[in-house]
Amino acid sequence: MRPADPREQDLDHLIAGLYDIAITPDLWTDWLASAAKCFGSNSGLALTQDKRSGAVDLLSAHRFSEHALRLYGEYYHKCDLWAQRSGKTLMKAAISADICSDEEFANSEIYVDLSKPHVDNQFYMVGAVLPADDQVAVIGFQNSRNAGAFSRRHAQALDLLLPHLQRILKIRARVKVAESERSAAYTVLDSLSHGVLLVTRDARMIQVNQAAQAIANAHDGFFIGAKGILAAARPAQTSELHRLIAGCSLPAGGGVLSLPRPSGLRPFELIVTPIGSRGREEVALHATAMVFLRDPETQVRPLPEVLRGLYRLTPAEAVLAAELLANETLESIAASRRVSRETLRTQLKELFRKTGTRRQSELIGFLTAGVAVILPAQRIPPR
């Protein structure tokens, strides 16, 4: 007994499905199940391994238990006869008879300790190893002894899939790099103390950092409305904001805007600027403008450790600088920390000396313009 040969129409369907995976990696599971059925196999496995680190990344597994996969990833991939021997002939599918005799495999460590007790006695396989940039990929379909060995026709059918599979893996590798870079850029945006939004020409939000989202959630003069469209408290202000954003289709577009707040607090400060040609290419859905948003009622208190490292302050001086940046007075600081105002004045003089400033207002301006407030430890809302 042996599994039925793959049908041509089924192979065409599998090839088309591979290109869907390039867009939607979650389809790996369904694709591998369909491929296993096409090859008449009990199970299937697809994985990649980094050439430099040796790290294994499971793409998908069909009818493998999590326990078996963990054992394979932790140890048994090192003694996998298939991976070791078929890897010598890249981009060429092999069947069991090409790798080893039935007797050798029956006595192998991977069969005795893994396949026989944990993977439904899988004995026969058709599979291949293929290169994909800095990785090698392994794809294989397995059967028990009762289900029978794969034939040369199965290997030939798998050979038809390999060029397409290699192309998809290369595409996915490049997409993953782009996704990683985009994720890192968005993480940087979330770390900023001021609000930042990336928007399309019609003022539809593509990306918003945490600071801007907090402002929008308050619905006090600026919010993100239906379908992600930016809006202000009054129609005239919304129209002006949209006009500035639409103007960013041109290099000289954009502008500044002050948005009054129904609460009576100080207006929001906005700068609208073109995102630039390079940015438009790298941001999804064609964002054309950046909106920088500041709430003048919110102070930022940076980590004292950051101030200490930047300006060679003592721990006490760094704490005092952070509290002054939060609009605390010497009197309130003295009361809350239970220290004398004379002690604080002595520390303040040292702050002046170490920062090259002469008065408290100049010190605050100097620190506010520095990098310490870029990555705030705490945002203090208006009282």
Side-chain angles (χ1 to χ4, degrees):
M1 178 180 178
R2 68 177 181 85
D5 294 336
R7 298 185 305 173
E8 184 177 348
Q9 59 266 38
D10 291 334
L11 292 173
D12 291 340
H13 179 74
L14 289 177
I15 290 172
L18 279 172
Y19 290 93
D20 292 333
I21 290 173
I23 302 172
T24 311
D26 291 344
L27 295 177
W28 261 118
T29 300
D30 292 339
W31 184 90
L32 194 64
S34 297
K37 183 178 179 180
C38 173
F39 281 84
S41 66
N42 293 335
S43 60
L45 185 70
L47 58 86
T48 60
Q49 184 173 27
D50 190 278
K51 293 179 182 178
R52 291 170 292 188
S53 68
V56 175
D57 181 19
L58 178 67
L59 298 175
S60 184
H62 177 62
R63 292 185 178 173
F64 276 82
S65 68
E66 292 185 6
H67 178 63
L69 291 172
R70 184 173 67 253
L71 291 175
Y72 184 85
E74 291 175 351
Y75 174 73
Y76 288 99
H77 69 279
K78 300 175 184 178
C79 55
D80 187 345
L81 296 179
W82 283 94
Q84 293 171 358
R85 298 182 183 181
S86 62
K88 297 177 181 179
T89 308
L90 299 178
M91 295 295 293
K92 184 68 176 177
I95 58 175
S96 299
D98 300 322
I99 303 301
C100 61
S101 68
D102 287 1
E103 181 181 2
E104 181 183 5
F105 187 70
N107 292 306
S108 67
E109 184 178 8
I110 192 169
Y111 176 70
V112 173
D113 295 341
L114 179 66
S115 180
K116 190 173 182 179
H118 299 294
V119 200
D120 297 331
N121 197 29
Q122 290 173 350
F123 194 85
Y124 296 112
M125 179 175 173
V126 57
V129 177
L130 53 156
D133 291 338
D134 295 330
Q135 299 177 322
V136 291
V138 178
I139 184 169
F141 302 97
Q142 305 80 22
N143 264 340
S144 66
R145 273 185 158 176
N146 291 335
F150 295 99
S151 69
R152 187 65 57 196
R153 293 286 297 274
H154 291 89
Q156 292 170 350
L158 184 55
D159 281 335
L160 296 175
L161 298 181
L162 296 183
H164 303 281
L165 180 59
Q166 184 185 48
R167 193 170 299 121
I168 295 310
L169 291 172
K170 289 183 177 182
I171 292 172
R172 281 306 305 165
R174 287 166 173 77
V175 169
K176 286 179 70 174
V177 170
E179 289 173 345
S180 178
E181 292 175 348
R182 183 175 294 116
S183 177
Y186 290 158
T187 299
V188 171
L189 290 179
D190 277 338
S191 300
L192 299 178
S193 57
H194 294 325
V196 182
L197 304 99
L198 306 181
V199 296
T200 63
R201 187 182 185 281
D202 58 355
R204 181 166 48 87
M205 185 270 296
I206 296 299
Q207 186 67 28
V208 56
N209 73 345
Q210 292 179 357
Q213 188 67 65
I215 292 173
N217 289 346
H219 282 75
D220 185 22
F222 175 85
F223 59 94
I224 301 171
K227 299 182 180 180
I229 302 298
L230 305 192
R234 298 176 181 175
Q237 298 159 0
T238 299
S239 297
E240 178 62 12
L241 174 60
H242 289 186
R243 186 188 68 80
L244 293 177
I245 292 172
C248 289
S249 299
L250 301 175
V256 298
L257 185 63
S258 176
L259 290 183
R261 303 162 69 171
S263 65
L265 296 175
R266 285 182 288 181
F268 292 122
E269 301 168 359
L270 279 80
I271 297 178
V272 181
T273 183
I275 202 170
S277 58
R278 178 185 177 189
R280 283 197 298 272
E281 293 171 358
E282 296 180 354
V283 176
L285 303 179
H286 309 294
T288 59
M290 294 184 290
V291 178
F292 296 91
L293 177 64
R294 174 178 178 259
D295 181 359
E297 296 286 351
T298 300
Q299 293 84 42
V300 175
R301 178 179 291 175
L303 286 168
E305 291 81 359
V306 175
L307 295 169
R308 183 181 178 187
L310 287 173
Y311 307 113
R312 299 182 180 180
L313 307 179
T314 66
E317 292 165 357
V319 171
L320 175 59
E323 291 173 329
L324 291 174
L325 278 172
N327 282 353
E328 299 287 345
T329 65
L330 290 181
E331 289 74 15
S332 64
I333 296 171
S336 63
R337 289 170 52 188
R338 297 181 180 179
V339 297
S340 69
R341 283 188 291 179
E342 288 304 317
T343 298
L344 294 179
R345 288 193 181 97
T346 299
Q347 295 172 2
L348 184 59
K349 289 180 181 179
E350 281 300 295
L351 285 175
F352 291 157
R353 183 181 68 82
K354 292 178 180 180
T355 59
T357 56
R358 297 182 180 181
R359 58 182 65 87
Q360 188 170 325
S361 60
E362 186 181 356
L363 170 68
I364 298 302
F366 174 82
L367 296 177
T368 301
V371 297
V373 298
I374 292 178
L375 303 176
Q378 181 181 4
R379 292 178 59 83
I380 305 169
R383 297 175 179 177

